[in-house]
Amino acid sequence: MAGELSFEKPLSELRNKIDELKRFGQEKGIDFTDEINRLEQRYAQLEQELYSELTPAQKMHLARHHQRPTSLDFIQTVFTDFLEVHGDRLFADDLAIVGGLAKLNGIPVTVIGHQRGKDTKDNIARFFGSPHPEGFRKALRLMQQADKFKRPIITFIDTKGAYPGNTAEERGQSEAIARNLREMATFGVPIICVVIGEGGSGGALALGVGNRVLMLENAIYSVISPNGAASILWKDASKADQAAEAMKITAKDLKDFGIVEEIIPEPRGGAHRNLEQQADSIKDALWRHLQELSAMTPDALVEDRYMKFRKIGIYASAAASSGEAGKDEEQLTEPIETAPL
Amino acid sequence: MFKDLFHKKKYATVPSERPKRDIPEGLMNKCAKCGNIQYSKELEKNLKVCSSCGHHFRLNAWERIQMIMDDGRLTEFDADMLSEDPLGFPGYADKLEQQKMSSGLKDAVVTGEGEIGGFPVVVAVMSFDFFSGSMGSVVGEKITRAIEQAHEKQLPVIIFSTSGGARMQESILSLMQMAKTSAALAKFQGAGGLFISVMTDPTMGGVTASFASLGDYNLAEPGALVGFAGRIVIEQTIRQKLPDNFQTAEFNMQHGQLDMVVHRKEMKSVLTKLLDMHMVKEVVPHGG
């Protein structure tokens, strides 16, 4: 297998063994059909076992796989007529975020995504998919345009996080992210976000305030990369696998928390094993959710999005609240007192 | 021996049982920036600003409330809200207990209603001494509720931020508080509400990248560290030493990220002026 991960070794070893046996049989003219069938069966079983119970750390490695399809791969397979547009009109064109117009089943939409590079040179040009403020501002410009022309917005989330650089700070990295969070809450068009690889921190969320947040089966989404968490908590970035377990970063975890509406299944072994199949299932999910959301008025879409995020949070609250504000507050917050689990 | 005269005596260091202090507890205070030692009472009279170099000491939530609210009074909202351990994160529950003990707070923000310069306002005051002011579900929820209260009562909101960022131990839930608080501000500000953000030392990460940067007016105390990514992470990324003033309030103002850097002594009068400017609702008629 090309680009196998360490936990996939047993599979490739078995595959090699089967191939060897076939070759040997042909060369020597011996019939190994029974033996080969037995091994193929064993292979299928092993594959089933391996991929049906991936650990969070294994998913993290799949989400970061160098062959994993990027936003542009999906944009070109899920949509038609993609027209990429550029620039934030303020400073530059940040290649860590791509965006433009495209059609989904014939309907014009605005599509935006974080863009990792395909090779080292591409990665350097795209800052490994970690945007500067101008990237977030480009995305905002395109979303405002979509709102104006009543086009649905579809975003693909795939970043380790916003770029940690001095020039990013000088140009207002925080403000750019914060503004996107606030403005995304105001648009009267459907917004659907799909976490396709790694959703890291504020840089991911800046494209993530949608009516629906969907997630590929092996994608991850967290407040800080597991490597970052490990180095802060245990002063050891190599404990990323451990942090991945503790931080509840998988699609299933997020669905349990009520943050993700739907998990989009991946082809066996991950999205990179079959781009067309993956694109089809993304397209199918997008279309279903878009049809539901298209039935809503602009005001209802804004309210729906507000309530989605308003509900998120788990805390304990003693019934009695002190001070004059007690009564008002009880009234105001009654429906959200129980946090989603 | 003659040679021994030139040898320094060597002493073994015995770790003391109590944390080392230069001066008796509570009586004197040493400035972290210039090293100036001053009487605690003098320092407090000076609003915890070093009389020698102007360094602004960090304040906890109640110290700031005392300083900024009329008569130091606040009708607190959600005083009993507590953090849970939704992920079962290793060590989180214990750390929460320990933070409550050491800070005397229930979580990293105090919210409520009171008056500043005679103007009724809703305030949220963060405290760095609780879990580095990190934002988890409780901080996000209390700030969102405060904004909603202000919306309902048609009052301005002032948030005094100080935070190391998101609370890692609540992972994705803490990240989502950024979206929640920002969406609440979208509603409030979209309806004409006034939000003044005051960033104090330090305001970093997810707090800066959400509500703290979204003020109609963004203020900061002198010298306050305000930024997104931490200095060490940036230095490792760009492989360069950053200047000393990197991410200070003054640096941020120079780069167009802040409206004003306001000395603690001036803070109340500046806020009062700003509030006053927004109290007149009618547009001045055209003069003839």
Side-chain angles (χ1 to χ4, degrees), chain B residues 138-170:
Chain B
V138 167
V139 171
E141 183 67 22
K142 283 177 86 166
I143 284 178
T144 303
R145 287 188 188 187
I147 295 165
E148 287 173 340
Q149 286 274 324
H151 194 167
E152 200 173 295
K153 295 178 176 172
Q154 306 255 307
L155 296 177
V157 175
I158 303 176
I159 302 180
F160 296 86
S161 299
T162 175
S163 177
R167 194 170 297 168
M168 264 182 302
Q169 290 83 349
E170 293 188 27

Tab-separated table of all heavy atoms in Angstrom, chain B residues 138-170:
chain	number	residue	atom	x	y	z
B	138	VAL	N	-18.138	27.709	31.324
B	138	VAL	CA	-18.699	28.669	32.280
B	138	VAL	C	-18.393	30.105	31.866
B	138	VAL	O	-19.284	30.963	31.849
B	138	VAL	CB	-18.179	28.392	33.714
B	138	VAL	CG1	-18.502	29.548	34.641
B	138	VAL	CG2	-18.804	27.110	34.244
B	139	VAL	N	-17.156	30.376	31.499
B	139	VAL	CA	-16.806	31.734	31.076
B	139	VAL	C	-17.635	32.127	29.853
B	139	VAL	O	-18.217	33.211	29.801
B	139	VAL	CB	-15.290	31.848	30.786
B	139	VAL	CG1	-14.965	33.185	30.127
B	139	VAL	CG2	-14.493	31.692	32.076
B	140	GLY	N	-17.728	31.224	28.871
B	140	GLY	CA	-18.497	31.517	27.660
B	140	GLY	C	-19.963	31.755	27.968
B	140	GLY	O	-20.580	32.686	27.451
B	141	GLU	N	-20.512	30.910	28.823
B	141	GLU	CA	-21.931	31.019	29.147
B	141	GLU	C	-22.222	32.297	29.934
B	141	GLU	O	-23.190	33.010	29.653
B	141	GLU	CB	-22.369	29.783	29.949
B	141	GLU	CG	-23.850	29.736	30.298
B	141	GLU	CD	-24.764	29.576	29.086
B	141	GLU	OE1	-24.302	29.088	28.033
B	141	GLU	OE2	-25.942	29.972	29.189
B	142	LYS	N	-21.381	32.606	30.923
B	142	LYS	CA	-21.633	33.795	31.739
B	142	LYS	C	-21.517	35.072	30.903
B	142	LYS	O	-22.309	35.997	31.059
B	142	LYS	CB	-20.665	33.842	32.933
B	142	LYS	CG	-21.073	32.876	34.047
B	142	LYS	CD	-20.093	32.867	35.194
B	142	LYS	CE	-20.375	33.958	36.209
B	142	LYS	NZ	-19.621	33.745	37.479
B	143	ILE	N	-20.546	35.107	30.027
B	143	ILE	CA	-20.387	36.295	29.178
B	143	ILE	C	-21.560	36.405	28.211
B	143	ILE	O	-22.120	37.487	28.012
B	143	ILE	CB	-19.012	36.267	28.471
B	143	ILE	CG1	-17.951	36.644	29.510
B	143	ILE	CG2	-18.972	37.216	27.277
B	143	ILE	CD1	-16.536	36.625	29.035
B	144	THR	N	-21.978	35.274	27.634
B	144	THR	CA	-23.125	35.299	26.718
B	144	THR	C	-24.384	35.768	27.449
B	144	THR	O	-25.122	36.617	26.946
B	144	THR	CB	-23.350	33.892	26.119
B	144	THR	OG1	-22.138	33.494	25.474
B	144	THR	CG2	-24.475	33.894	25.103
B	145	ARG	N	-24.600	35.247	28.649
B	145	ARG	CA	-25.778	35.666	29.412
B	145	ARG	C	-25.717	37.147	29.766
B	145	ARG	O	-26.739	37.840	29.768
B	145	ARG	CB	-25.890	34.851	30.699
B	145	ARG	CG	-26.331	33.428	30.448
B	145	ARG	CD	-26.613	32.759	31.771
B	145	ARG	NE	-26.862	31.339	31.603
B	145	ARG	CZ	-27.274	30.548	32.585
B	145	ARG	NH1	-27.464	31.046	33.794
B	145	ARG	NH2	-27.492	29.279	32.364
B	146	ALA	N	-24.519	37.630	30.094
B	146	ALA	CA	-24.368	39.051	30.428
B	146	ALA	C	-24.745	39.909	29.223
B	146	ALA	O	-25.448	40.917	29.364
B	146	ALA	CB	-22.930	39.335	30.869
B	147	ILE	N	-24.298	39.491	28.035
B	147	ILE	CA	-24.624	40.243	26.814
B	147	ILE	C	-26.142	40.199	26.580
B	147	ILE	O	-26.759	41.212	26.239
B	147	ILE	CB	-23.851	39.672	25.601
B	147	ILE	CG1	-22.342	39.865	25.784
B	147	ILE	CG2	-24.328	40.326	24.304
B	147	ILE	CD1	-21.474	39.031	24.854
B	148	GLU	N	-26.732	39.041	26.806
B	148	GLU	CA	-28.181	38.914	26.619
B	148	GLU	C	-28.955	39.772	27.626
B	148	GLU	O	-29.967	40.389	27.292
B	148	GLU	CB	-28.602	37.444	26.727
B	148	GLU	CG	-28.174	36.625	25.502
B	148	GLU	CD	-28.421	35.133	25.647
B	148	GLU	OE1	-28.566	34.645	26.788
B	148	GLU	OE2	-28.456	34.439	24.615
B	149	GLN	N	-28.466	39.811	28.859
B	149	GLN	CA	-29.085	40.670	29.883
B	149	GLN	C	-29.031	42.130	29.449
B	149	GLN	O	-30.000	42.870	29.576
B	149	GLN	CB	-28.320	40.527	31.206
B	149	GLN	CG	-28.572	39.241	31.934
B	149	GLN	CD	-29.802	39.328	32.815
B	149	GLN	OE1	-30.078	40.364	33.401
B	149	GLN	NE2	-30.548	38.259	32.882
B	150	ALA	N	-27.860	42.536	28.966
B	150	ALA	CA	-27.679	43.925	28.529
B	150	ALA	C	-28.625	44.230	27.378
B	150	ALA	O	-29.217	45.314	27.312
B	150	ALA	CB	-26.236	44.151	28.107
B	151	HIS	N	-28.774	43.268	26.492
B	151	HIS	CA	-29.661	43.435	25.343
B	151	HIS	C	-31.095	43.661	25.822
B	151	HIS	O	-31.770	44.593	25.407
B	151	HIS	CB	-29.570	42.178	24.466
B	151	HIS	CG	-30.163	42.354	23.097
B	151	HIS	ND1	-29.954	41.465	22.081
B	151	HIS	CD2	-30.951	43.320	22.579
B	151	HIS	CE1	-30.588	41.872	20.999
B	151	HIS	NE2	-31.204	42.995	21.280
B	152	GLU	N	-31.500	42.806	26.731
B	152	GLU	CA	-32.859	42.881	27.239
B	152	GLU	C	-33.113	44.196	27.973
B	152	GLU	O	-34.161	44.813	27.827
B	152	GLU	CB	-33.063	41.706	28.186
B	152	GLU	CG	-34.509	41.351	28.434
B	152	GLU	CD	-34.590	40.065	29.243
B	152	GLU	OE1	-34.165	39.022	28.719
B	152	GLU	OE2	-35.044	40.133	30.391
B	153	LYS	N	-32.121	44.607	28.765
B	153	LYS	CA	-32.290	45.825	29.585
B	153	LYS	C	-31.814	47.075	28.865
B	153	LYS	O	-31.799	48.151	29.446
B	153	LYS	CB	-31.516	45.652	30.889
B	153	LYS	CG	-32.059	44.544	31.751
B	153	LYS	CD	-31.244	44.368	33.012
B	153	LYS	CE	-31.908	43.295	33.871
B	153	LYS	NZ	-31.086	42.913	35.023
B	154	GLN	N	-31.348	46.913	27.613
B	154	GLN	CA	-30.887	48.049	26.822
B	154	GLN	C	-29.761	48.800	27.529
B	154	GLN	O	-29.782	50.018	27.647
B	154	GLN	CB	-32.056	49.009	26.561
B	154	GLN	CG	-33.266	48.337	25.943
B	154	GLN	CD	-33.396	48.662	24.471
B	154	GLN	OE1	-33.397	49.830	24.082
B	154	GLN	NE2	-33.467	47.651	23.649
B	155	LEU	N	-28.792	48.056	28.018
B	155	LEU	CA	-27.648	48.671	28.692
B	155	LEU	C	-26.369	48.414	27.899
B	155	LEU	O	-26.288	47.437	27.157
B	155	LEU	CB	-27.487	48.065	30.099
B	155	LEU	CG	-28.616	48.315	31.098
B	155	LEU	CD1	-28.326	47.578	32.401
B	155	LEU	CD2	-28.783	49.815	31.350
B	156	PRO	N	-25.379	49.269	28.080
B	156	PRO	CA	-24.082	48.982	27.457
B	156	PRO	C	-23.395	47.811	28.164
B	156	PRO	O	-23.695	47.528	29.322
B	156	PRO	CB	-23.277	50.260	27.694
B	156	PRO	CG	-24.258	51.294	28.134
B	156	PRO	CD	-25.396	50.561	28.781
B	157	VAL	N	-22.487	47.159	27.451
B	157	VAL	CA	-21.681	46.076	28.038
B	157	VAL	C	-20.216	46.498	28.050
B	157	VAL	O	-19.706	47.000	27.043
B	157	VAL	CB	-21.791	44.776	27.204
B	157	VAL	CG1	-20.859	43.708	27.770
B	157	VAL	CG2	-23.206	44.261	27.163
B	158	ILE	N	-19.578	46.291	29.177
B	158	ILE	CA	-18.127	46.498	29.238
B	158	ILE	C	-17.498	45.195	29.719
B	158	ILE	O	-17.888	44.648	30.749
B	158	ILE	CB	-17.753	47.647	30.206
B	158	ILE	CG1	-18.470	48.944	29.788
B	158	ILE	CG2	-16.241	47.852	30.226
B	158	ILE	CD1	-18.233	50.111	30.727
B	159	ILE	N	-16.557	44.678	28.945
B	159	ILE	CA	-15.865	43.448	29.368
B	159	ILE	C	-14.389	43.753	29.607
B	159	ILE	O	-13.708	44.285	28.724
B	159	ILE	CB	-16.004	42.320	28.309
B	159	ILE	CG1	-17.488	42.014	28.047
B	159	ILE	CG2	-15.281	41.055	28.792
B	159	ILE	CD1	-17.729	40.915	27.019
B	160	PHE	N	-13.933	43.446	30.815
B	160	PHE	CA	-12.516	43.547	31.145
B	160	PHE	C	-11.923	42.157	30.967
B	160	PHE	O	-12.234	41.244	31.723
B	160	PHE	CB	-12.336	44.012	32.594
B	160	PHE	CG	-12.855	45.397	32.848
B	160	PHE	CD1	-14.195	45.610	33.163
B	160	PHE	CD2	-12.014	46.498	32.739
B	160	PHE	CE1	-14.686	46.895	33.380
B	160	PHE	CE2	-12.499	47.786	32.963
B	160	PHE	CZ	-13.832	47.984	33.281
B	161	SER	N	-11.088	42.011	29.951
B	161	SER	CA	-10.555	40.681	29.647
B	161	SER	C	-9.174	40.481	30.240
B	161	SER	O	-8.369	41.413	30.284
B	161	SER	CB	-10.458	40.485	28.131
B	161	SER	OG	-11.718	40.592	27.540
B	162	THR	N	-8.916	39.284	30.660
B	162	THR	CA	-7.553	38.814	30.901
B	162	THR	C	-7.614	37.303	30.835
B	162	THR	O	-8.450	36.681	31.487
B	162	THR	CB	-6.963	39.291	32.238
B	162	THR	OG1	-5.685	38.664	32.411
B	162	THR	CG2	-7.844	38.958	33.425
B	163	SER	N	-6.786	36.729	29.973
B	163	SER	CA	-6.923	35.294	29.737
B	163	SER	C	-5.716	34.727	29.017
B	163	SER	O	-5.129	35.379	28.154
B	163	SER	CB	-8.175	35.044	28.889
B	163	SER	OG	-8.290	33.675	28.579
B	164	GLY	N	-5.374	33.509	29.370
B	164	GLY	CA	-4.338	32.802	28.634
B	164	GLY	C	-4.895	32.185	27.357
B	164	GLY	O	-4.156	31.703	26.517
B	165	GLY	N	-6.235	32.182	27.216
B	165	GLY	CA	-6.848	31.613	26.017
B	165	GLY	C	-7.940	30.620	26.370
B	165	GLY	O	-8.563	30.720	27.424
B	166	ALA	N	-8.146	29.685	25.479
B	166	ALA	CA	-9.197	28.681	25.689
B	166	ALA	C	-8.764	27.697	26.771
B	166	ALA	O	-7.566	27.521	27.012
B	166	ALA	CB	-9.467	27.940	24.402
B	167	ARG	N	-9.721	27.072	27.443
B	167	ARG	CA	-9.380	26.078	28.461
B	167	ARG	C	-9.265	24.708	27.805
B	167	ARG	O	-10.274	24.072	27.476
B	167	ARG	CB	-10.412	26.060	29.591
B	167	ARG	CG	-9.900	25.304	30.806
B	167	ARG	CD	-10.786	25.471	32.017
B	167	ARG	NE	-10.860	26.848	32.478
B	167	ARG	CZ	-11.740	27.307	33.363
B	167	ARG	NH1	-12.622	26.475	33.882
B	167	ARG	NH2	-11.742	28.564	33.726
B	168	MET	N	-8.023	24.289	27.619
B	168	MET	CA	-7.735	23.041	26.906
B	168	MET	C	-8.501	21.838	27.439
B	168	MET	O	-8.881	20.952	26.700
B	168	MET	CB	-6.255	22.728	27.045
B	168	MET	CG	-5.420	23.180	25.914
B	168	MET	SD	-3.739	22.687	26.227
B	168	MET	CE	-3.385	23.481	27.772
B	169	GLN	N	-8.699	21.837	28.769
B	169	GLN	CA	-9.326	20.669	29.400
B	169	GLN	C	-10.778	20.496	28.991
B	169	GLN	O	-11.383	19.475	29.273
B	169	GLN	CB	-9.221	20.787	30.921
B	169	GLN	CG	-7.809	20.631	31.472
B	169	GLN	CD	-6.986	21.917	31.428
B	169	GLN	OE1	-7.381	22.910	30.811
B	169	GLN	NE2	-5.832	21.897	32.058
B	170	GLU	N	-11.363	21.506	28.334
B	170	GLU	CA	-12.723	21.344	27.820
B	170	GLU	C	-12.718	21.296	26.291
B	170	GLU	O	-13.759	21.404	25.653
B	170	GLU	CB	-13.630	22.465	28.339
B	170	GLU	CG	-13.859	22.374	29.839
B	170	GLU	CD	-14.907	23.355	30.349
B	170	GLU	OE1	-15.799	23.737	29.571
B	170	GLU	OE2	-14.814	23.738	31.522
